[in-house]
Amino acid sequence: MITLAVDCMGGDHGPRVTLAACRQFLDKHPKAHLLLVGKTESLESFQHERVTLVAASEVVGMDDPVEVALRRKKDSSMRVAIEQVKAGAAAAAVSAGNTGALMAIARYVLKTLDGIDRPAIAAQLPNGLGRATTVLDLGANVDCTAEHLLQFAFMGTALVSVLDEGSKASVGLLNIGEEAIKGSDIIKRSGELLRTAGQAGEINFFGNVEGNDIFKGTVDIVVCDGFVGNVALKTSEGVASMISNGLKQEFKRNLLTKLAAVIAYPVLSALMKRMDHRRYNGAALLGLRGLVFKSHGSADAIAFEYALSRAYDAACNNLLDRVRSRIARAAPLLDATPAIAAAPLSAS
Amino acid sequence: MITLAVDCMGGDHGPRVTLAACRQFLDKHPKAHLLLVGKTESLESFQHERVTLVAASEVVGMDDPVEVALRRKKDSSMRVAIEQVKAGAAAAAVSAGNTGALMAIARYVLKTLDGIDRPAIAAQLPNGLGRATTVLDLGANVDCTAEHLLQFAFMGTALVSVLDEGSKASVGLLNIGEEAIKGSDIIKRSGELLRTAGQAGEINFFGNVEGNDIFKGTVDIVVCDGFVGNVALKTSEGVASMISNGLKQEFKRNLLTKLAAVIAYPVLSALMKRMDHRRYNGAALLGLRGLVFKSHGSADAIAFEYALSRAYDAACNNLLDRVRSRIARAAPLLDATPAIAAAPLSAS
């Protein structure tokens, strides 16, 4: 029996979406147990034998500053969900709330793993090979040192090993050219550290990759700082949505194009399904002493259910132990770099 | 009569593409004159009353390191084309060659304008409003100070004013959230400088924008450092190409889908035309004492012709004077910031 703690109040839609997703998830996962965290009046109508309601009197708003979420709302559904993980009552927490607040609270409540200076946000993006590329960091850290990027490579490798046991996941360093001489000093130094780790057999380092390689599927894992990762993620969402809106406009233009739309519908819908971003919902907050997954704030029930499944799979496959042991194995490499004991949190 | 100097040897395809584009361009621009620069044997078959051949014995390869292009190939078609601008024989130079080499040679031959520390590469990307968003820098500068980003805002405003005379083009700062507290220290400081310039009426500063805003058309101009801009550009190319390949695959799946493709073809082709990246080919190298335009290396004749037209329009509309006068008007704002006389070139 695996138990997840669900922040039912988070996200743009709150319980309407999260509870519908929880019901679908429970139907498909007969061994799962859920702790539904939130305001009693919002949740009490939900009855299920594998569900326990956990009351939380406050809600972190999507626009709440990190400080408000962290210091003033100590009984928020987000925080209480994470505290279930800390207390050992749940194997993972899932929230669609404000990313910056989630990272700050998770870090404050759970603390980081030994050997990890900065937790990172890792998500999967669909690629042209029909698989997924794992990208981290996606916005937790706006300034990263080369050592942080090395840690991201180890954590990303552990995450991918959960999903694809036998593989030796390849890691690419996001840069503005393939050659090792490209990029800023930090990026060049990151390349050196990653190459050393690759030569030591701790990761499967491919080399530099460029923005388009994320969607080509050139490597399994792409590491970058949170500023660049966030821009890449939002840019890709922007392009996809421009093309999809453009298609809709063109097909609505006149009677003939509307007829074409009817005929092309099955084909377009097959493509949409393949690239449906909802299937990739559920970003992992890595580097903490507990599992926390972040759903997109605008997720619908289908998307939120994917985030729950992702957290469930990670818990079933001991993602936490895998990250811990990867970091431990890599200790000699990481110890050789200056430790930053109390790096300031720069949450997005 | 406006004269352009064309590096006919640059790009993935060389004279086969550049000469075809030049012929089309001359047909459409009866007042244009072209200096075709390259190896005599490659160009001598091209006969036109408004064309002059200029011999250059060397070619900068797409993979040539910047140092080789700059120091060892002093008679390259790229360099000779830029020297035509320096000598006043041409109003602008156009090349599809290696970006890093082009920027380095242009900077070395032409020098930067007074008040500009770093030239930038500015290109237009299609947006959902059916217009274009101008983004800079796209890869000339991997590390930028807040002052550089302010200069980019001025140069971008001058560039857009060439295309759309009456408009007060809006400028957005690429960040990972809308709030002014987001981003690194450099980004926050850039926000302050841009706000001050906006309050002084020198630019129309909108505030922070995110990656998706480039394609939404939230602002006319997006400023960012060259690392982030390059990642955003390549990422957007990657997504567009994944979706377009996915469409092709789905439509080719069986006889029915192939039939659907025939019927949907006019609609898809209308969309492709609207978003055709070739229409946006031709990035401006801004901040130099002369006009230089960069075509995509893989450009075909249609795309290269767009780059020629863009350079021609910029020359007709005195882009150089506009950039110069914007920078001069902004001198009090820029002078308040530390001048970096000899910033190292970090070309991508």
Short mmCIF file of all heavy atoms in Angstrom, two decimals, chain B residues 126-166:
data_model
loop_
_atom_site.label_atom_id
_atom_site.label_comp_id
_atom_site.label_asym_id
_atom_site.label_seq_id
_atom_site.Cartn_x
_atom_site.Cartn_y
_atom_site.Cartn_z
N PRO B 126 7.64 35.13 -35.78
CA PRO B 126 6.21 35.32 -36.01
C PRO B 126 5.44 35.19 -34.70
O PRO B 126 5.82 34.38 -33.85
CB PRO B 126 5.85 34.17 -36.95
CG PRO B 126 6.89 33.12 -36.71
CD PRO B 126 8.14 33.87 -36.33
N ASN B 127 4.39 35.98 -34.52
CA ASN B 127 3.57 35.80 -33.32
C ASN B 127 2.11 35.55 -33.67
O ASN B 127 1.71 35.65 -34.84
CB ASN B 127 3.76 36.96 -32.35
CG ASN B 127 3.23 38.28 -32.87
OD1 ASN B 127 2.19 38.33 -33.53
ND2 ASN B 127 3.95 39.35 -32.59
N GLY B 128 1.35 35.22 -32.65
CA GLY B 128 -0.04 34.81 -32.84
C GLY B 128 -0.95 35.92 -33.33
O GLY B 128 -2.08 35.67 -33.74
N LEU B 129 -0.46 37.17 -33.30
CA LEU B 129 -1.26 38.29 -33.80
C LEU B 129 -1.06 38.48 -35.30
O LEU B 129 -1.58 39.42 -35.89
CB LEU B 129 -0.88 39.58 -33.07
CG LEU B 129 -0.99 39.55 -31.55
CD1 LEU B 129 -0.54 40.88 -30.95
CD2 LEU B 129 -2.44 39.26 -31.14
N GLY B 130 -0.25 37.60 -35.91
CA GLY B 130 0.03 37.72 -37.33
C GLY B 130 1.10 38.78 -37.60
O GLY B 130 1.35 39.15 -38.74
N ARG B 131 1.70 39.30 -36.54
CA ARG B 131 2.79 40.26 -36.72
C ARG B 131 4.12 39.58 -36.34
O ARG B 131 4.21 38.35 -36.36
CB ARG B 131 2.53 41.48 -35.82
CG ARG B 131 1.24 42.21 -36.21
CD ARG B 131 1.34 43.69 -35.85
NE ARG B 131 1.58 43.89 -34.43
CZ ARG B 131 0.62 44.12 -33.53
NH1 ARG B 131 -0.64 44.20 -33.90
NH2 ARG B 131 0.92 44.30 -32.27
N ALA B 132 5.12 40.36 -36.01
CA ALA B 132 6.40 39.78 -35.65
C ALA B 132 6.88 40.38 -34.33
O ALA B 132 6.62 41.55 -34.04
CB ALA B 132 7.42 40.05 -36.75
N THR B 133 7.55 39.57 -33.55
CA THR B 133 8.18 40.06 -32.33
C THR B 133 9.69 40.11 -32.59
O THR B 133 10.27 39.13 -33.05
CB THR B 133 7.90 39.10 -31.15
OG1 THR B 133 6.49 38.90 -31.05
CG2 THR B 133 8.44 39.66 -29.85
N THR B 134 10.29 41.25 -32.30
CA THR B 134 11.74 41.40 -32.48
C THR B 134 12.44 40.98 -31.19
O THR B 134 12.08 41.46 -30.11
CB THR B 134 12.07 42.87 -32.82
OG1 THR B 134 11.44 43.20 -34.06
CG2 THR B 134 13.58 43.09 -32.94
N VAL B 135 13.37 40.05 -31.29
CA VAL B 135 14.06 39.55 -30.10
C VAL B 135 15.55 39.83 -30.23
O VAL B 135 16.14 39.58 -31.29
CB VAL B 135 13.84 38.03 -29.92
CG1 VAL B 135 14.48 37.55 -28.62
CG2 VAL B 135 12.36 37.68 -29.94
N LEU B 136 16.17 40.38 -29.18
CA LEU B 136 17.61 40.54 -29.15
C LEU B 136 18.11 40.45 -27.72
O LEU B 136 17.36 40.80 -26.82
CB LEU B 136 18.07 41.84 -29.84
CG LEU B 136 17.80 43.20 -29.20
CD1 LEU B 136 18.63 44.25 -29.90
CD2 LEU B 136 16.33 43.60 -29.22
N ASP B 137 19.24 39.90 -27.47
CA ASP B 137 20.25 39.37 -28.36
C ASP B 137 20.03 37.87 -28.58
O ASP B 137 19.58 37.17 -27.67
CB ASP B 137 21.61 39.65 -27.73
CG ASP B 137 22.77 39.00 -28.46
OD1 ASP B 137 22.78 39.00 -29.69
OD2 ASP B 137 23.66 38.49 -27.76
N LEU B 138 20.37 37.40 -29.76
CA LEU B 138 20.14 36.00 -30.07
C LEU B 138 21.41 35.17 -30.06
O LEU B 138 21.40 34.06 -30.59
CB LEU B 138 19.43 35.88 -31.42
CG LEU B 138 17.96 36.32 -31.35
CD1 LEU B 138 17.35 36.34 -32.73
CD2 LEU B 138 17.17 35.38 -30.44
N GLY B 139 22.47 35.66 -29.45
CA GLY B 139 23.63 34.79 -29.34
C GLY B 139 24.98 35.47 -29.48
O GLY B 139 26.00 34.80 -29.40
N ALA B 140 25.00 36.79 -29.64
CA ALA B 140 26.31 37.43 -29.77
C ALA B 140 27.00 37.55 -28.41
O ALA B 140 28.22 37.51 -28.33
CB ALA B 140 26.16 38.81 -30.39
N ASN B 141 26.22 37.68 -27.34
CA ASN B 141 26.78 37.95 -26.01
C ASN B 141 26.25 36.96 -24.98
O ASN B 141 25.09 37.00 -24.63
CB ASN B 141 26.38 39.36 -25.56
CG ASN B 141 26.69 40.40 -26.62
OD1 ASN B 141 27.83 40.76 -26.82
ND2 ASN B 141 25.65 40.84 -27.33
N VAL B 142 27.12 36.07 -24.49
CA VAL B 142 26.62 35.08 -23.53
C VAL B 142 26.45 35.65 -22.14
O VAL B 142 25.62 35.19 -21.37
CB VAL B 142 27.50 33.81 -23.47
CG1 VAL B 142 27.39 33.04 -24.77
CG2 VAL B 142 28.93 34.13 -23.14
N ASP B 143 27.25 36.64 -21.79
CA ASP B 143 27.09 37.28 -20.48
C ASP B 143 26.77 38.74 -20.73
O ASP B 143 27.51 39.41 -21.43
CB ASP B 143 28.39 37.22 -19.67
CG ASP B 143 28.62 35.84 -19.10
OD1 ASP B 143 27.70 35.32 -18.46
OD2 ASP B 143 29.73 35.30 -19.29
N CYS B 144 25.70 39.22 -20.17
CA CYS B 144 25.35 40.62 -20.36
C CYS B 144 25.14 41.30 -19.01
O CYS B 144 24.61 40.70 -18.08
CB CYS B 144 24.05 40.74 -21.16
SG CYS B 144 24.24 40.28 -22.89
N THR B 145 25.50 42.57 -18.94
CA THR B 145 25.17 43.37 -17.77
C THR B 145 23.80 44.01 -18.02
O THR B 145 23.27 43.98 -19.13
CB THR B 145 26.21 44.49 -17.56
OG1 THR B 145 26.11 45.37 -18.70
CG2 THR B 145 27.61 43.94 -17.47
N ALA B 146 23.27 44.61 -16.97
CA ALA B 146 22.00 45.33 -17.09
C ALA B 146 22.13 46.46 -18.11
O ALA B 146 21.20 46.74 -18.87
CB ALA B 146 21.59 45.87 -15.73
N GLU B 147 23.31 47.09 -18.16
CA GLU B 147 23.52 48.20 -19.09
C GLU B 147 23.46 47.71 -20.54
O GLU B 147 22.93 48.40 -21.42
CB GLU B 147 24.88 48.87 -18.83
CG GLU B 147 24.93 49.69 -17.55
CD GLU B 147 24.93 48.86 -16.27
OE1 GLU B 147 25.32 47.66 -16.33
OE2 GLU B 147 24.53 49.37 -15.21
N HIS B 148 23.98 46.51 -20.78
CA HIS B 148 23.91 45.96 -22.14
C HIS B 148 22.45 45.74 -22.54
O HIS B 148 22.05 46.05 -23.66
CB HIS B 148 24.66 44.63 -22.23
CG HIS B 148 26.13 44.76 -21.98
ND1 HIS B 148 26.85 43.85 -21.27
CD2 HIS B 148 27.00 45.73 -22.33
CE1 HIS B 148 28.11 44.24 -21.21
NE2 HIS B 148 28.23 45.38 -21.84
N LEU B 149 21.66 45.22 -21.62
CA LEU B 149 20.26 44.96 -21.94
C LEU B 149 19.52 46.27 -22.22
O LEU B 149 18.64 46.33 -23.09
CB LEU B 149 19.58 44.16 -20.82
CG LEU B 149 20.10 42.72 -20.65
CD1 LEU B 149 19.42 42.03 -19.46
CD2 LEU B 149 19.87 41.88 -21.89
N LEU B 150 19.90 47.32 -21.52
CA LEU B 150 19.31 48.64 -21.78
C LEU B 150 19.67 49.10 -23.20
O LEU B 150 18.82 49.60 -23.95
CB LEU B 150 19.80 49.64 -20.74
CG LEU B 150 19.27 51.07 -20.90
CD1 LEU B 150 17.76 51.13 -20.70
CD2 LEU B 150 19.95 52.03 -19.91
N GLN B 151 20.94 48.91 -23.56
CA GLN B 151 21.36 49.28 -24.93
C GLN B 151 20.59 48.48 -25.97
O GLN B 151 20.20 49.01 -27.02
CB GLN B 151 22.87 49.04 -25.09
CG GLN B 151 23.71 49.97 -24.20
CD GLN B 151 25.20 49.69 -24.30
OE1 GLN B 151 25.64 48.80 -25.01
NE2 GLN B 151 25.98 50.46 -23.57
N PHE B 152 20.36 47.20 -25.68
CA PHE B 152 19.60 46.36 -26.62
C PHE B 152 18.20 46.94 -26.81
O PHE B 152 17.65 46.91 -27.92
CB PHE B 152 19.49 44.92 -26.13
CG PHE B 152 20.80 44.19 -26.00
CD1 PHE B 152 20.87 42.96 -25.36
CD2 PHE B 152 21.98 44.72 -26.52
CE1 PHE B 152 22.08 42.27 -25.24
CE2 PHE B 152 23.19 44.04 -26.40
CZ PHE B 152 23.24 42.81 -25.75
N ALA B 153 17.61 47.43 -25.72
CA ALA B 153 16.26 47.99 -25.80
C ALA B 153 16.23 49.20 -26.74
O ALA B 153 15.32 49.36 -27.56
CB ALA B 153 15.76 48.38 -24.41
N PHE B 154 17.26 50.05 -26.64
CA PHE B 154 17.33 51.22 -27.52
C PHE B 154 17.53 50.80 -28.97
O PHE B 154 16.88 51.33 -29.88
CB PHE B 154 18.48 52.15 -27.09
CG PHE B 154 18.13 52.99 -25.89
CD1 PHE B 154 18.75 52.79 -24.67
CD2 PHE B 154 17.15 53.97 -25.99
CE1 PHE B 154 18.41 53.55 -23.57
CE2 PHE B 154 16.82 54.74 -24.90
CZ PHE B 154 17.44 54.53 -23.67
N MET B 155 18.42 49.86 -29.19
CA MET B 155 18.71 49.44 -30.56
C MET B 155 17.51 48.73 -31.17
O MET B 155 17.18 48.93 -32.35
CB MET B 155 19.94 48.53 -30.59
CG MET B 155 21.21 49.28 -30.15
SD MET B 155 22.73 48.38 -30.58
CE MET B 155 22.69 47.01 -29.44
N GLY B 156 16.83 47.92 -30.38
CA GLY B 156 15.64 47.22 -30.86
C GLY B 156 14.55 48.22 -31.23
O GLY B 156 13.86 48.05 -32.25
N THR B 157 14.40 49.27 -30.42
CA THR B 157 13.39 50.29 -30.70
C THR B 157 13.70 50.99 -32.03
O THR B 157 12.81 51.23 -32.84
CB THR B 157 13.35 51.30 -29.54
OG1 THR B 157 13.00 50.60 -28.35
CG2 THR B 157 12.31 52.38 -29.79
N ALA B 158 14.97 51.28 -32.27
CA ALA B 158 15.37 51.92 -33.53
C ALA B 158 15.07 50.99 -34.70
O ALA B 158 14.55 51.43 -35.73
CB ALA B 158 16.86 52.26 -33.49
N LEU B 159 15.35 49.70 -34.54
CA LEU B 159 15.12 48.74 -35.63
C LEU B 159 13.63 48.66 -35.98
O LEU B 159 13.25 48.69 -37.15
CB LEU B 159 15.64 47.35 -35.22
CG LEU B 159 15.42 46.22 -36.24
CD1 LEU B 159 16.18 46.49 -37.53
CD2 LEU B 159 15.86 44.88 -35.66
N VAL B 160 12.79 48.58 -34.95
CA VAL B 160 11.35 48.45 -35.20
C VAL B 160 10.80 49.74 -35.81
O VAL B 160 9.89 49.70 -36.64
CB VAL B 160 10.61 48.03 -33.92
CG1 VAL B 160 9.10 48.09 -34.12
CG2 VAL B 160 11.03 46.63 -33.50
N SER B 161 11.38 50.88 -35.44
CA SER B 161 10.90 52.16 -35.98
C SER B 161 11.11 52.24 -37.49
O SER B 161 10.41 52.96 -38.20
CB SER B 161 11.58 53.34 -35.29
OG SER B 161 12.89 53.53 -35.80
N VAL B 162 12.08 51.49 -38.01
CA VAL B 162 12.33 51.45 -39.45
C VAL B 162 11.15 50.82 -40.18
O VAL B 162 10.75 51.22 -41.26
CB VAL B 162 13.60 50.63 -39.74
CG1 VAL B 162 13.70 50.26 -41.22
CG2 VAL B 162 14.83 51.40 -39.30
N LEU B 163 10.60 49.78 -39.53
CA LEU B 163 9.56 49.00 -40.18
C LEU B 163 8.19 49.61 -39.97
O LEU B 163 7.29 49.43 -40.76
CB LEU B 163 9.57 47.58 -39.60
CG LEU B 163 10.95 46.91 -39.63
CD1 LEU B 163 10.97 45.69 -38.74
CD2 LEU B 163 11.31 46.55 -41.06
N ASP B 164 8.03 50.32 -38.85
CA ASP B 164 6.70 50.77 -38.48
C ASP B 164 6.84 52.17 -37.88
O ASP B 164 6.89 52.37 -36.68
CB ASP B 164 6.13 49.77 -37.46
CG ASP B 164 4.65 50.00 -37.22
OD1 ASP B 164 4.10 50.94 -37.82
OD2 ASP B 164 4.06 49.25 -36.44
N GLU B 165 6.90 53.12 -38.79
CA GLU B 165 7.31 54.49 -38.48
C GLU B 165 6.61 55.11 -37.26
O GLU B 165 7.25 55.58 -36.33
CB GLU B 165 7.08 55.36 -39.73
CG GLU B 165 7.46 56.81 -39.58
CD GLU B 165 8.96 56.99 -39.53
OE1 GLU B 165 9.65 56.39 -40.38
OE2 GLU B 165 9.44 57.72 -38.65
N GLY B 166 5.29 55.10 -37.28
CA GLY B 166 4.58 55.86 -36.26
C GLY B 166 4.55 55.23 -34.88
O GLY B 166 4.30 55.89 -33.88
#
